[in-house]
Amino acid sequence: MISVEPYWRNFIDGRWVDGGSGRLSVEDPATGEPLAEQAIADAADVDRAVSAARACHDSGTLTQMRPCDRGRKVRRMGDFLLENLEEIASLLTLEAGKPLWESRIEVEGAARYFEYYGNQAETLEGRSIPLGAGYLDFTVYEPFGVCAQIIPWNYPLEMAARSIAPALATGNACVVKTPELDPLSSAWLARAAEAVELPAGAVNVICGLGGEAGAALSRHPGVDQIVFTGSVETGSRIATEAARNVVPCVLELGGKSAALVWPDADLDRFMDSVRWGILFNSGQVCSAMSRAIVHHSIHDEIVERAADLARSISVGPGIERDTFGPNMGAMISRGQRERAEGLCARAESDGARAVTGGRPLNRPGWFLEPTILEGVAPDSEIAQTEVFGPVLSVIPFRDDAEALAISNGTPYGLVGGVFTSDVERAMSAAKRIRAGQIFVNEWYAGGVETPFGGYGKSGYGREKGREALLNYVQTKNVAIALSSGA
Ligand code: NAD
C-alpha cells in the first residue's frame, strides 16, 4: 500500500498554494474512510488562476514558440506521467475506487493524449484562398488564449488530459477545475507541467466546489473558451454562463447508449463488449452500454449469459485488484451508489426483474453488485435515465424499425453499438442511430484518434481526434491587396 500525502495544494501561476475556501476531506470509496485533504479554491483563487493564464498568454511565451517545440513539451508531459505510472495509478485507485489495472489504463490513456496532441502541434495549417490577381489571401489559426476546463470524477486524469493536451498544443493557457470527489491524482498533471518547464500560468490546476469555484470559473470574463465534461444539468448552466460572456464552449455530457444485437452477431464477442461496456469503471462511464436492445429470438440466451458474466465478477477494493480479469471496484461515493440502487429498486416496482444484482455489498465501501435487468419497458425511468453504475437493461425487439426507435428514444445521443455479421445492416443502422460515435461489433472501438461527442442532450462539439484541435483555435483571414495586381 502506498502512503498518501495528507494534504494536496492547488497549482496557480507555477506555485503550490492553499485554497481560499479551506480544505476538503477526500475519502477512499473502498472503505468510506478519509484518505487525504485537498485545498479548496474560492472565487479569488479562480481569479488569480485566470489572471496567471492571461499573463502567460499575453507574454507570447507559448504562442511564439515553434509549434514543434511546444509539441515536444506536450509529449514530454505524457512521458512524465508514464515514468510515474505506478504511483499515480495507486493514488487514483485509492481516491476513485477503480481496480489498479483500470487506473493504469487511465494513466496510459492520459499520457496518450499528450503524445497524440504533442504530435499534432505542428500540423494545423491554414489555407490560401484565390481572390484573383489583385490579392493574396490566407488563413491562420490562432489560440483563443485562456481555456477553462471543468472536469468530472469518473476519469479525472484522462478527461483533463483530453483537454489540456490539445489546448497547450495549439498555444492556449489552461485553468483546470478538478472534481471534488477525486482531485488528488490531478496534481500529477501540474507536476508534469513543472517537469517539462512550461511557463508559469500555462497550466493552473485547482480543485474547488462546483457551485463556488466551478461557477466562478465558468462566468469569469477573463476566460476565452470553456470545455465542460459532466452532467447535462451542470452543462446547461455552464453554456448559459458562456453565452452571457459570448465565449464558445464544448459540452461533453451524459448518455444512455444502446447496443443493438441481431441473431447473426458473434455472441462471444458481444459478451466481451458487455464486460467492458457496463462493468469497466463500475459502469461510471458516459459512453457505457447501459441498454442492450436484442432480437427477441436471442433475448433469453443473452440475459442468461450476461447474468452469468455479472455473477462471475469479483467485486471489492480496487487496490487488491491488480490485474485484468473478472473484477470490479467501488462506485465513487455513497451518494452515487444510493442513487443507482434507488433506480434499480424503482425499475423493479415498474415491472422489470433483476436477474442478478441490484443490491449493495454487505461490507464497508460503496460497492454495488453488477446488475442485469430484464422486462424493462423502453420508456420507463431505468431505460431513460443515466444510472452511471454497473446496471444493464436488456430490452427485446422484433424488427429493425423497432430496434432503432428504442435506440433513438431517449434525449441522449452519445454513442451507439451495432452487433451483426451483416455489413449492410450494420451500415444502415450506423446511419440511422442518432449518436456521435458508432461501434460495430466492439464496444469502445476507437481511440484518442477518433472524434468523440454527442448528439442531443449528450452535448455538442467534439473532443479527441483532429476535430478537437479546432475547439481550441479561431480562424483569422488575412487579405493582402497587391498594388501591382500581378
Ligand atoms: P457534474 O456535472 O456534477 O460535475 C462535473 C464538474 O462540474 C465537476 O468538476 C463539478 O465540480 C463541476 N460543477 C458542478 N456544478 C457546477 C456549476 N454550477 N458551475 C460550474 N461547475 C460546476 O458531473 P459528475 O457527476 O462529476 O460527472 C458525471 C457526469 O459526467 C455524467 O453525466 C457523465 O455521463 C458525464 N461525463 C461525460 C463525459 C463525456 O465525455 N461526454 C465524460 C465523463 C463524464
Side-chain angles (χ1 to χ4, degrees), residues 85-444:
L85 186 142
E86 284 304 324
E87 198 175 337
I88 306 171
S90 303
L91 178 62
L92 179 59
T93 278
L94 289 174
E95 65 174 338
K98 54 187 85 188
L100 201 43
W101 63 269
E102 289 196 23
S103 291
R104 290 195 192 102
I105 290 180
E106 178 162 354
V107 179
E108 285 164 358
R112 175 77 182 110
Y113 281 109
F114 288 106
E115 178 186 48
Y116 179 77
Y117 286 111
N119 287 338
Q120 300 290 324
E122 58 184 323
T123 67
L124 206 55
E125 296 165 343
R127 64 195 176 107
S128 107
I129 299 170
L131 290 180
Y135 299 92
L136 173 63
D137 188 283
F138 60 93
T139 63
V140 288
Y141 288 119
E142 294 187 342
F144 277 100
V146 176
C147 171
Q149 300 158 10
I150 301 180
I151 309 298
W153 49 261
N154 63 334
Y155 286 99
L157 286 179
E158 267 193 281
M159 298 299 94
R162 186 173 81 176
S163 298
I164 296 172
L168 284 177
T170 47
N172 295 276
C174 309
V175 180
V176 184
K177 209 296 277 171
T178 60
E180 303 91 310
L181 289 168
D182 51 7
L184 309 180
S185 47
S186 302
W188 282 94
L189 298 166
R191 289 176 183 177
E194 273 188 312
V196 307
E197 297 177 348
L198 278 175
V203 175
N204 303 275
V205 179
I206 53 176
C207 184
L209 303 178
E212 186 181 19
L217 182 58
S218 58
R219 66 169 170 254
H220 199 292
V223 166
D224 299 312
Q225 183 246 4
I226 305 178
V227 181
F228 171 74
T229 308
S231 63
V232 175
E233 191 188 347
T234 311
S236 167
R237 279 206 192 111
I238 285 172
T240 305
E241 298 296 355
R244 282 205 180 97
N245 285 331
V246 198
V247 298
C249 76
V250 173
L251 298 181
E252 292 283 2
L253 310 179
K256 190 70 195 177
S257 303
L260 305 188
V261 193
W262 277 271
D264 61 357
D266 177 336
L267 292 191
D268 291 339
R269 284 185 78 180
F270 175 64
M271 280 305 141
D272 198 44
S273 283
V274 172
R275 191 266 170 266
W276 285 96
I278 194 63
L279 302 178
F280 192 52
N281 208 25
S282 300
Q284 301 167 123
V285 184
C286 52
S287 48
M289 181 207 291
S290 52
R291 296 179 298 155
I293 301 173
V294 307
H295 192 262
H296 68 95
S297 64
I298 50 170
H299 172 268
D300 292 355
E301 181 185 353
I302 285 185
V303 167
E304 198 180 308
R305 290 184 68 170
D308 285 348
L309 170 69
R311 290 188 201 102
S312 75
I313 299 291
S314 142
V315 184
I319 205 75
E320 295 165 12
R321 281 152 180 77
D322 184 48
T323 49
F324 169 73
N327 58 48
M328 201 178 81
M331 295 187 68
I332 189 74
S333 65
R334 177 197 288 268
Q336 285 295 319
R337 200 223 10 218
E338 285 178 351
R339 181 177 171 278
E341 216 186 310
L343 279 158
C344 290
R346 289 198 296 283
E348 289 191 271
S349 31
D350 280 354
R353 185 172 82 89
V355 186
T356 185
R359 312 265 179 277
L361 295 198
N362 184 19
R363 57 170 297 161
W366 317 127
F367 299 98
L368 185 72
E369 295 169 342
T371 304
I372 308 297
L373 298 170
E374 66 168 355
V376 172
D379 56 356
S380 61
E381 183 192 32
I382 192 76
Q384 292 288 322
T385 311
E386 183 180 47
V387 178
F388 228 54
V391 180
L392 176 68
S393 296
V394 185
I395 304 172
F397 70 85
R398 294 212 156 252
D399 57 36
D400 292 13
E402 187 186 15
L404 286 156
I406 298 172
S407 171
N408 288 337
T410 78
Y412 293 109
L414 195 51
V415 304
V418 182
F419 291 78
T420 175
S421 53
D422 178 340
V423 74
E424 290 197 20
R425 170 175 275 152
M427 290 314 299
S428 156
K431 222 164 142 181
R432 289 153 70 196
I433 292 173
R434 212 173 132 267
Q437 189 168 28
I438 307 295
F439 307 128
V440 178
N441 291 332
E442 184 187 308
W443 201 263
Y444 296 142

